[in-house]
Amino acid sequence: MPEQQDLDALVVGAGFGGIYQLKQLLDLNLNVKLIDIAEDAGGTWHWNRYPGAMSDTESYLYRYSWDDDDLKSYPWHRTYLQGPEILEYLQHVVTRWNLRQHMQFKTELTGARWDDAVGRWTVETSTGQTFRPKYLVTALGLLSRQNLPKIPGLDTFKGELCHTARWPQDLKLEGKRVGVIGNGSTGVQLITAIAKQVKQLVCFQRTPQYSVPSGDKEIDEEYRKDLNEKYPEIWKQAKESAFAFGFEESSRPTFSVSDEERDRIFEEAWQTGGGFRFMFETFGDISTDEAANDACAEFIRRKIRETVKDPETARKLQPTDYHARRPLCDSGYYQQFNRDNVDLIDLKETPITEITPDGIKLSNGEVVELDVIAFATGFDAVDGNYTRVLIEGRDGHTLKDHWDEVGPTSYLGVSVPKFPNMFMILGPNGPFTNLPPTIETQVEFITELISIAEKGGPVRINGAVTNGHTNGSTNGHAHAESNGYTNGDTHAEGNGTNGVKPASPSLIEASSEAEEEWTDTCDKLSAGSLFRKTDSWIFGSNVPGKKPAVMFYFGGLANYRKVLGEVTEGGLKGFRQF
Ligand code: FAD
Ligand code: NA7
């Protein structure tokens, strides 16, 4: 039976972002619900259950910082977390804070429409229920919508087809001939994990990538004790750094040291492990200077040549473009190509022409016979989950139309003009970092916006405009730019006495000027980056038909936090409140 429910807030998505957002809004005593398509909480880690799934942020930083007791006591055993451990951790947080009672699973947001007359969103779902929240917080995930290439003959394959982000839990690979298409972070992890289990592994590689060892190792009690003592400074450092990966980014130019010293620094980083460390802790110009990038790239190419015994395979595995995609790390990826049961097919030399009932057909006519084809082909990243559903703001304006016109933009990665009281976690043009610290930053900012809105905006009293709440700055925030006020009367629901209407929640949305300025800032910050000259999901150039665009703020988390501080302290600079 279709039902309609009014809520203060609806949170969509039960990953790192949605879970924390739900908790924060419950702490404000709001009537909140969270929905997710999935069967349970976990987000990324619910979906990506392929063998070898692992965080490439070190364990101590791939978690929430806000629950000090839990931070210090929740067990983990290695320097990196396996996917199932992260899933367990997130579900533990949900249980620990009694959040599941506010969550509804197997429920997809299929459409959302802003209703100006009542100042609420109308959210349609796959279950037939309609929710009417005052605030809509979307935590749909930036690496969440799968990219499944449309290869001719896909439906004809007799064996098992799967995507890493929807890995079937009952799939057995032992004794099978398995093909893996894709060798990004996911493909590298999958290939490394299954090479020893399967009868034959054929890796279909379109563009080789640079990967360095992760340095994953067991931890002991001393290590954990030391971390626990240092956590306050660890989080402070992470939030005051650019990438929040737990190290200080280097500013040393690559060619400021001798060749021998450079080699020693790279070797030390190789032995320590970590993709971000290798790129950003060694030297400060690897992602911006071509020669510096090549020095780094050549070091990794040399390691590939030294590791892989067959020279032809080693040649195919060595990238020749910039080392400027999301840095990868692995637990012995290149070594797998020394196994007799592992083959590499270079798709630039022999592209896939079709999938046949028996396997994958290449341009040279060869059919590679397979029992399983695994797509490790990534995601329609960042805006993918937003544009696949109809989100309609003020004046019938849809998010898809807006982004078709100007590219996937926002103000601060959080708000879009004409979409009042809708806030995104990890929306377009948020910071490019280790994500939990950025997610926390955004959730806390959104909570602050909602708490300001709840206190009420300017309402019209007998024709005059005033703040709806008696003290607009109870928590240090100046409120309500009066120029944002256009139709406050339609939102004041009061039954006022003496002509004074009680405060009603106000509406908050980014101004178009602020969005444009932020987009311009993000554009300028990425202009000198080699990442922008390299095709990958980071600039939206991995999905056929998708227009490449700037999708991240490359100014670093520290600067981003500074900007947010200025916004809240400056009377919600860049937002309209009415
Ligand atoms: P997600 O965890 O993606 O959750 C989004 C949720 O929204 C999903 O559960 C989805 O079902 C739901 N949803 C989407 N659309 C709808 C809809 N219309 N209706 C209802 N529900 C919907 N980041 C790092 O910082 N470090 C790492 O080491 C790291 N490793 C990663 C490894 C893999 C394999 C992948 C895929 C990502 C990795 N990431 C990593 C990125 C990771 O996505 C983030 O760290 C983080 O988990 C994002 O949390 P989130 O809550 O924003 O989104
Ligand atoms: P990525 O990094 O986007 O990698 C996808 C891989 O799939 C990459 O090797 C692609 O080759 C390949 N690909 C994509 N489409 C095709 C087709 N049509 N044919 C052949 N090969 C294809 O996704 P991941 O899941 O590995 O990682 C995404 C992020 O998740 C990662 O950065 C972490 O943050 C976690 P290409 O390079 O485009 O030639």
Side-chain angles (χ1 to χ4, degrees), residues 13 15-17 36-37 43-44 47 50 55-57 62 109 139 141 434-435:
F16 262 103
D36 197 304
I37 318 168
T44 294
W47 295 112
Y50 58 87
S55 71
D56 59 7
T57 302
Y62 198 65
L109 173 153
N434 167 38
L435 289 171

Side-chain angles (χ1 to χ4, degrees), residues 157-162 171-180 198-202 204 356-360 368-374:
F157 184 56
K158 281 188 315 207
E160 185 106 32
L161 271 182
C162 56
L171 181 60
K172 299 266 178 291
L173 297 179
E174 285 77 9
K176 297 209 173 133
R177 298 164 302 172
V178 180
V180 174
V198 302
K199 182 172 166 201
Q200 192 200 355
L201 178 60
V202 187
F204 296 86
T356 71
D358 297 322
I360 294 180
V368 181
E369 294 192 2
L370 297 164
D371 304 307
V372 177
I373 300 177

Side-chain angles (χ1 to χ4, degrees), residues 468-521:
H469 45 93
T470 45
N471 177 358
S473 333
T474 45
N475 56 1
H477 303 292
H479 285 242
E481 299 162 335
S482 56
N483 63 2
Y485 176 79
T486 48
N487 57 352
D489 43 352
T490 59
H491 304 293
E493 300 153 1
N495 54 355
T497 50
N498 303 331
V500 178
K501 290 180 177 180
S504 66
S506 61
L507 309 180
I508 295 184
E509 75 180 51
S511 73
S512 299
E513 299 73 33
E515 184 194 48
E516 271 169 39
E517 235 176 80
W518 184 249
T519 305
D520 192 47
T521 300

Side-chain angles (χ1 to χ4, degrees), residues 9-27:
L10 180 73
V11 177
V12 188
F16 262 103
I19 293 171
Y20 185 36
Q21 187 66 73
L22 174 65
K23 175 166 188 312
Q24 285 259 302
L25 295 179
L26 288 170
D27 289 349

Side-chain angles (χ1 to χ4, degrees), residues 200 226 335 426 446 566:
Q200 192 200 355
D226 186 48
Q335 286 83 337
L426 302 185
I446 291 168
E566 285 161 13

Side-chain angles (χ1 to χ4, degrees), residues 317-354:
L317 283 167
Q318 288 172 72
T320 50
D321 54 357
Y322 297 125
H323 179 18
R325 295 159 175 230
R326 193 179 191 282
L328 307 187
C329 60
D330 64 78
S331 313
Y333 172 64
Y334 296 116
Q335 286 83 337
Q336 305 312 315
F337 294 91
N338 292 331
R339 301 179 69 92
D340 291 339
N341 66 333
V342 177
D343 294 309
L344 178 68
I345 291 184
D346 183 335
L347 295 181
K348 291 247 163 82
E349 291 173 5
T350 48
I352 295 172
T353 53
E354 64 178 306

Side-chain angles (χ1 to χ4, degrees), residues 143 149 181-186 206-207 325-326 376-379 537:
L143 291 160
I181 303 179
N183 52 291
S185 173
T186 298
R206 192 164 63 181
T207 316
R325 295 159 175 230
R326 193 179 191 282
T377 44
F379 301 91
W537 62 265

Side-chain angles (χ1 to χ4, degrees), residues 11 37-38 68 119 140 163 199 212 254 264 291 311 369 398 406 412-413 521 526 533 560 566:
V11 177
I37 318 168
D68 198 48
L140 308 185
H163 189 285
K199 182 172 166 201
V212 308
T254 298
R264 190 197 63 73
E369 294 192 2
T398 71
V406 293
L412 306 171
T521 300
S526 66
K533 296 184 176 168
Y560 179 73
E566 285 161 13

